[in-house]
Amino acid sequence: MDSLPLSSIESLVIDMKKDLFSNKDKVAKTSAYDTAWLAMIPNNNNQENEDNYGPMFESCVNWILNNQNELGFWGDFNVPTIDCLPSTLACMVALKKWGVGESQIEKGLKFIHANMDTLLKENSQCFPRSFTIVFPTILQLAKAQGLEIIFINGSNRLLSDVFMKKKSILESEKLNDQSDLAYLEKLSQSDIYFNCVNKDDEILKQLCEEKNGSFFQSPSATAQAFMATGNEKCLQYLMSIVQKCPNGVPSRYPMDEELKMLCKVDNIQRMGLGKQFEKEIGQILDQVYKNYQVNNLDNNNDKETSYLPEKLFKDSLAFRLLRLQGYKINEGIFCWFVHEPQIMEYIEKNQDFFAYVMYNVYRATDLMFNGESDIEKARSFSRNFLVNNDNLSVLPSLQKVIEHELNVPWFARLEHLDHRLWIEFNQSISLSDGKSPFYWLSYLQNDKLTQLAVQNYEYRQSIYRNELEDLKRWSKDKGLVDIGFGREKTTYSYFASAASSSSFLPYESFLRMVVAKCSIVITVADDFYDEEASLSELQILTEAIQRWDAKTLDGPSKIIFEALDDLVCDVANMYHLQHKIDITPQLQHMWKETFHSWMMESLWSRTSNLPCMDEYLEVGMISIGAHILVLHAAALGCPTLPIEMLGPINGKYENITRLLMATTRLLNDIQSYQKEREVGKMNYTLLHFKENPNGQIEDSIDFVKGIVGNKKKEFLENVLMDGFNEMPRTMKLLHLSCLNVFHMFFNSCNLFDTKAAILEDIMRAIYIPLSQEEEQTSSMMPQQPSKTLQPMVLEKKMKKVEIAKVNACLNEKNLKKQVGIGISFVGRQGPKSYNNSFGWSNKGFASQKLRLCFM
């Protein structure tokens, strides 16, 4: 499918709004495991009265009878997983207890015998903690009910490992006021089923009496507790669930409705649908913000360990969503745990219960402002937790997402590709409906919403393909494609422009084209100053730009000027049509000072005159070109933007723009110092090293990294929060998307170190449609668990015809010269009249700025 009509997407959006945000009180998915435990409860919980002996909740038994998978297991799984083993055994125990469902039991036993050995082997290196606790109990119950479980092909050894691990877990847990969950795990042993637990146990009685009578909001745990104690409040809780959910019960009840809505908002935004649900998202976040202001004054609510995962998950998710939307929210909303050593120790001991929680804590720490030391602590703790987590392999699709989160910084990611990754994740998740620590992911499972996300993504792809063709024609017509030197520009420039702004720019947006054209001109001109021209040729071009007159130009200089003049005229004309104001002088000024900065850098590089660090940075902030990209686009995309913001006020640009300019320059100079040292060029890192000769180069790198870290935090606060400037939100987001692109290409861990890598992401962003069936099948293939996270390896799925198209777009002859993508190159000639001002050896040639060549 190439694209779907916009009307189809709009119709689906209307349906989804009714489905997602209606006031209907919908219940969660049915859990086969929990439903089975309720089905085991005898009527009146009195086994001695044989005349009245039967299931208390017949509807639960009927659900088991009517909801067995064709393969023989119970549970809402796309394919068999290790979590379907306890669910299937629990359902068979319930049927066997009441002497019904003989054919279902037989089918279930066949499934267990055929698959148990394989599923245990696949997870033998890292059995999930919840599975380790639950499975031995259910297996004992199955044997007690007379179910004949046959162990084959080494299953006995694997089962022994599970039993030993459970014993180790329970023995290591100490019962105290902070360890109710460990107590529940002890109670999950078969003693409860055989009614051998001390009914006068004070801890058990106290837990049963808490809140609504539930045992940690778990129907299965509460069913076990009720069979052990006969507690009336437990019974009332169980009856209320069945009344609310007569066709099978969920794994948790009641659920935090506000948390469910936050999960919906997060899921919608991460699939690239935020603009379609902007009003609804705003209403939800407004209410959440008000609730936190009222209810979160006392952070001691629900900090007992049994509710800790849910609280910390909700707090971190709320912080991220609210801060991204510009709400003034304090770091303490989710960082309270860093001041609780017992809680941090508990989190570390319960890796599987907190894996998804810590993933969201880590995501929340992306939005750190200066002075927020608690977020620094939370980031360090959550990262260490995730890197050393042994339990992620049980859900390979989530492991892939977490690896991406850890390996590629948020500032260095393009949102369009992030949307695709999350859509693919939604297509692949298959979760336990029992006691999975990832049960929150069940809030994401909505096939209709995923379908909408796929259609939206593919519709954008169709627009991007058409716009890219127009851009290629423009580059060709202006002579930029065949200019004879430098980097291939067009496809990369457009790819970065489109993929970094898909969440806040509409489907049809000429802003992408404006940014891409600016990027192409910057790249060609920068290469001309870096590698192609002599100083006299550069002087002639620079003076022509200052006059804005091409009479004295010829060859590449004339091509560059005419393409630039065409671009400036187009932007100025479009602005004039909207506002009846001529901004040509403002646009020309930006380009004049940028060409002048390139001339200054060429003089520094080819003579022995070196600037001081401050002088270098003032020029380098201009030469990096980031302000040109954002301000040209902002002029057309922000109707309320004051014309004064298009140029420096009292000699300086707005602080948010200056922060962008400085950060992008320093990011470049951190990564490029080695290559620039080889050819004797100046660089902020190298200048610091030269001015501090008693230090090491690593000290200078750390110094610059410290500056970048602080500037990024200040920049992010300027982007997200009101009060720092009068810029419209769209313009501030343009600044952020520009930094994302620069950071991506200057990130030391960037994924684009080879032609194949950049090709693959261009293919995924623009050409390859999202195939739900193919992606789902691929992600469900068994994978070997790994103890430590490895860099994510993208699947190879390019079609030959599409590869040919993209290779043609990328100009194969230029690509052969690339080592990095627009970052470092071999086979390029050094600049003419070049002198080594640093006195270091000149070994080959590299790009002076390692500048982003394709915003």
Side-chain angles (χ1 to χ4, degrees):
M1 178 186 64
D2 187 48
S3 67
L4 285 175
L6 181 59
S7 59
S8 173
I9 296 174
E10 293 172 340
S11 176
L12 197 51
V13 168
I14 294 172
D15 292 342
M16 286 309 307
K17 287 183 177 182
K18 295 176 182 177
D19 185 48
L20 289 173
F21 305 110
S22 68
N23 294 322
K24 297 178 182 178
D25 188 10
K26 297 180 179 180
V27 297
K29 286 189 174 184
T30 298
S31 162
Y33 178 81
D34 289 81
T35 302
W37 271 104
L38 266 70
M40 296 180 205
I41 301 176
N43 193 22
N44 294 327
N45 202 33
N46 182 359
Q47 299 184 22
E48 296 179 359
N49 186 352
E50 295 184 1
D51 294 336
N52 197 30
Y53 186 64
M56 178 177 289
F57 302 113
E58 291 188 17
S59 62
C60 292
V61 178
N62 290 332
W63 184 92
I64 295 172
L65 289 169
N66 296 319
N67 286 276
Q68 187 176 28
N69 185 280
E70 291 182 359
L71 297 178
F73 63 85
W74 277 270
D76 190 17
F77 309 98
N78 295 323
V79 295
T81 71
I82 194 170
D83 288 313
C84 69
L85 295 179
S87 295
T88 300
L89 286 173
C91 288
M92 291 192 296
V93 167
L95 296 180
K96 185 72 173 179
K97 179 171 183 175
W98 305 120
V100 296
E102 184 176 342
S103 62
Q104 286 92 339
I105 293 174
E106 182 179 353
K107 191 174 181 180
L109 285 171
K110 288 182 179 179
F111 169 80
I112 293 291
H113 295 152
N115 294 276
M116 182 166 63
D117 183 69
T118 300
L119 293 172
L120 290 175
K121 284 181 179 178
E122 287 176 358
N123 295 270
S124 60
Q125 299 300 314
C126 184
F127 290 118
R129 178 188 172 102
S130 54
F131 172 83
T132 305
I133 295 297
V134 167
F135 187 64
T137 298
I138 295 299
L139 198 57
Q140 290 174 338
L141 297 185
K143 289 183 178 180
Q145 280 297 321
L147 292 171
E148 187 176 356
I149 310 297
I150 302 173
F151 306 117
I152 58 173
N153 298 331
S155 293
N156 275 318
R157 181 186 59 80
L158 294 171
L159 288 170
S160 178
D161 291 343
V162 175
F163 275 80
M164 291 301 295
K165 183 178 179 181
K166 175 176 179 176
K167 182 180 178 182
S168 175
I169 290 173
L170 297 182
E171 287 178 349
S172 67
E173 295 289 351
K174 296 179 181 179
L175 294 180
N176 53 55
D177 292 339
Q178 295 292 322
S179 191
D180 294 342
L181 187 57
Y183 191 77
L184 170 61
E185 290 168 349
K186 287 184 180 291
L187 292 175
S188 73
Q189 299 177 83
S190 57
D191 287 344
I192 284 183
Y193 184 85
F194 294 115
N195 216 19
C196 296
V197 171
N198 181 2
K199 297 179 182 180
D200 296 324
D201 186 300
E202 290 301 321
I203 298 179
L204 179 58
K205 289 172 67 175
Q206 179 183 347
L207 291 173
C208 291
E209 289 295 331
E210 283 186 358
K211 297 192 174 182
N212 57 3
S214 73
F215 220 57
F216 311 121
Q217 298 173 274
S218 168
S220 59
T222 308
Q224 296 174 63
F226 172 68
M227 285 190 281
T229 66
N231 183 277
E232 189 65 26
K233 290 190 73 174
C234 286
L235 177 59
Q236 292 174 6
Y237 167 80
L238 295 170
M239 294 183 72
S240 69
I241 300 176
V242 176
Q243 184 177 6
K244 189 75 175 178
C245 313
N247 298 313
V249 302
S251 61
R252 288 177 71 87
Y253 183 88
M255 289 169 288
D256 188 327
E257 292 301 318
E258 191 168 79
L259 175 56
K260 286 175 63 178
M261 296 308 291
L262 286 171
C263 288
K264 288 181 181 179
V265 170
D266 186 52
N267 196 35
I268 287 170
Q269 290 183 340
R270 295 184 72 179
M271 288 201 289
L273 299 171
K275 201 162 186 67
Q276 286 87 340
F277 297 92
E278 195 169 16
K279 178 181 177 182
E280 291 76 13
I281 289 173
Q283 292 172 344
I284 291 170
L285 294 183
D286 276 344
Q287 188 59 51
V288 170
Y289 183 63
K290 292 176 184 176
N291 291 345
Y292 265 94
Q293 287 182 307
V294 173
N295 300 327
N296 221 53
L297 296 177
D298 179 11
N299 273 332
N300 291 317
N301 296 330
D302 292 335
K303 280 190 184 176
E304 58 266 30
T305 54
S306 56
Y307 298 99
L308 180 59
E310 184 168 298
K311 175 174 174 54
L312 188 50
F313 173 49
K314 179 180 178 181
D315 289 348
S316 58
L317 186 57
F319 173 85
R320 181 180 175 88
L321 293 174
L322 291 171
R323 178 160 282 192
L324 274 174
Q325 208 67 23
Y327 292 88
K328 292 183 178 180
I329 198 79
N330 188 276
E331 61 180 327
I333 189 178
F334 81 102
C335 289
W336 46 263
F337 75 95
V338 301
H339 300 291
E340 304 276 358
Q342 285 182 311
I343 288 179
M344 294 175 73
E345 182 181 0
Y346 182 80
I347 292 172
E348 290 175 326
K349 287 183 177 180
N350 293 271
Q351 288 191 344
D352 60 344
F353 282 108
F354 287 93
Y356 193 63
V357 176
M358 284 294 108
Y359 164 61
N360 279 276
V361 168
Y362 186 75
R363 290 180 63 231
T365 64
D366 288 332
L367 308 181
M368 190 188 317
F369 299 159
N370 277 323
E372 293 184 323
S373 58
D374 283 352
I375 296 187
E376 293 272 13
K377 296 174 185 176
R379 186 170 184 83
S380 177
F381 179 84
S382 57
R383 183 177 181 86
N384 289 335
F385 177 96
L386 293 169
V387 169
N388 297 301
N389 195 298
D390 297 330
N391 295 280
L392 296 176
S393 60
V394 301
L395 194 57
S397 53
L398 179 61
Q399 182 181 16
K400 177 181 178 181
V401 170
I402 293 178
E403 287 175 351
H404 181 67
E405 188 74 32
L406 295 176
N407 291 332
V408 187
W410 176 69
F411 269 116
R413 299 205 294 263
L414 302 184
E415 59 181 15
H416 184 57
L417 289 171
D418 262 14
H419 295 159
R420 180 172 188 131
L421 180 67
W422 193 247
I423 293 169
E424 291 171 344
F425 174 66
N426 272 261
Q427 291 173 335
S428 70
I429 51 178
S430 177
L431 304 172
S432 168
D433 59 359
K435 301 296 105 182
S436 169
F438 308 113
Y439 77 91
W440 293 293
L441 293 176
S442 63
Y443 298 160
L444 309 183
Q445 292 178 299
N446 187 311
D447 293 339
K448 202 170 181 180
L449 184 66
T450 304
Q451 177 191 353
L452 171 61
V454 170
Q455 292 187 13
N456 178 68
Y457 190 90
E458 294 180 354
Y459 183 68
R460 281 193 174 277
Q461 285 182 312
S462 68
I463 293 174
Y464 294 166
R465 287 193 294 273
N466 291 333
E467 289 182 351
L468 178 55
E469 291 301 312
D470 291 340
L471 185 64
K472 285 159 55 184
R473 281 191 290 271
W474 179 84
S475 293
K476 181 84 172 169
D477 292 344
K478 298 305 172 185
L480 297 173
V481 172
D482 302 316
I483 199 168
F485 63 86
R487 295 159 282 183
E488 197 287 324
K489 292 77 62 175
T490 307
T491 300
Y492 295 153
S493 296
Y494 181 80
F495 158 68
S497 173
S500 64
S501 58
S502 61
S503 69
F504 61 90
L505 291 185
Y507 292 120
E508 305 286 351
S509 178
F510 48 81
L511 298 190
R512 289 187 291 269
M513 298 290 282
V514 169
V515 171
K517 287 180 180 180
C518 288
S519 174
I520 293 168
V521 173
I522 288 172
T523 304
V524 174
D526 179 43
D527 284 346
F528 187 66
Y529 276 77
D530 271 355
E531 67 179 77
E532 184 66 17
S534 65
L535 275 177
S536 60
E537 290 172 323
L538 297 181
Q539 190 68 44
I540 293 172
L541 175 57
T542 304
E543 291 174 355
I545 294 292
Q546 304 309 309
R547 299 190 311 270
W548 211 264
D549 184 352
K551 290 180 181 178
T552 60
L553 300 178
D554 58 14
S557 296
K558 186 174 183 179
I559 292 174
I560 292 170
F561 182 91
E562 290 180 346
L564 173 58
D565 185 56
D566 178 81
L567 170 60
V568 169
C569 288
D570 278 351
V571 175
N573 288 337
M574 284 189 282
Y575 190 91
H576 189 270
L577 286 174
Q578 296 176 10
H579 306 284
K580 307 303 179 186
I581 298 174
D582 183 15
I583 61 169
T584 302
Q586 287 84 355
L587 299 179
Q588 288 180 352
H589 174 79
M590 278 186 265
W591 287 102
K592 288 177 181 180
E593 65 175 358
T594 301
F595 274 77
H596 181 262
S597 71
W598 291 335
M599 188 68 217
M600 288 292 296
E601 290 179 340
S602 294
L603 288 171
W604 289 337
S605 296
R606 304 180 192 202
T607 67
S608 59
N609 297 322
L610 292 179
C612 66
M613 291 173 64
D614 290 342
E615 183 184 3
Y616 167 82
L617 187 56
E618 282 299 316
V619 173
M621 289 168 56
I622 300 295
S623 68
I624 198 73
H627 64 302
I628 287 182
L629 302 174
V630 294
L631 294 180
H632 278 61
L636 300 177
C638 305
T640 60
L641 179 70
I643 191 172
E644 293 81 12
M645 288 188 179
L646 294 180
I649 301 174
N650 297 323
K652 291 188 176 181
Y653 288 94
E654 284 279 333
N655 189 47
I656 186 175
T657 306
R658 285 183 58 81
L659 286 168
L660 172 67
M661 296 160 70
T663 305
T664 50
R665 161 53 59 199
L666 294 176
L667 282 169
N668 171 90
D669 288 6
I670 290 171
Q671 193 203 35
S672 68
Y673 79 93
Q674 288 180 315
K675 287 183 172 59
E676 293 185 350
R677 178 166 61 178
E678 290 177 357
V679 296
K681 294 187 177 183
M682 79 287 299
N683 173 296
Y684 195 78
T685 304
L686 296 175
L687 286 171
H688 179 271
F689 182 49
K690 186 176 180 65
E691 293 182 13
N692 296 272
N694 294 328
Q696 302 293 322
I697 187 65
E698 289 76 15
D699 299 327
S700 295
I701 295 170
D702 290 340
F703 172 78
V704 181
K705 283 183 176 179
I707 297 175
V708 169
N710 289 330
K711 286 191 177 295
K712 283 197 299 184
K713 293 172 189 175
E714 184 183 355
F715 171 78
L716 188 60
E717 191 170 8
N718 274 256
V719 169
L720 298 180
M721 309 306 295
D722 293 331
F724 291 94
N725 52 69
E726 300 301 320
M727 285 188 180
R729 180 172 173 79
T730 299
M731 182 175 178
K732 292 194 287 187
L733 292 177
L734 280 169
H735 278 70
L736 179 57
S737 70
C738 184
L739 181 58
N740 290 150
V741 174
F742 275 82
H743 208 310
M744 174 189 65
F745 286 109
F746 296 150
N747 175 30
S748 61
C749 299
N750 76 74
L751 301 181
F752 299 144
D753 293 330
T754 66
K755 170 187 169 183
I758 185 69
L759 273 175
E760 182 147 6
D761 266 20
I762 291 175
M763 295 293 293
R764 289 165 62 81
I766 301 176
Y767 292 96
I768 300 177
L770 275 158
S771 173
Q772 184 164 353
E773 188 172 43
E774 177 185 349
E775 293 289 338
Q776 188 168 343
T777 302
S778 174
S779 62
M780 284 296 102
M781 293 295 291
Q783 297 185 22
Q784 291 295 326
S786 58
K787 183 174 179 60
T788 58
L789 295 175
Q790 300 296 326
M792 179 179 60
V793 178
L794 298 174
E795 296 174 358
K796 302 293 182 183
K797 34 178 196 177
M798 299 181 185
K799 299 177 182 178
K800 290 183 179 180
V801 62
E802 291 168 329
I803 293 176
K805 285 182 181 178
V806 178
N807 275 331
C809 295
L810 297 184
N811 190 346
E812 186 73 27
K813 63 179 180 164
N814 284 334
L815 272 168
K816 289 178 181 178
K817 296 184 179 181
Q818 298 185 16
V819 175
I821 304 306
I823 295 178
S824 60
F825 297 81
V826 295
R828 295 169 57 175
Q829 296 180 353
K832 299 175 183 177
S833 304
Y834 181 84
N835 293 318
N836 191 330
S837 55
F838 276 110
W840 288 314
S841 62
N842 189 352
K843 300 178 181 178
F845 184 78
S847 170
Q848 175 184 350
K849 305 173 184 62
L850 295 188
R851 178 182 298 117
L852 163 73
C853 68
F854 18 80
M855 157 68 183

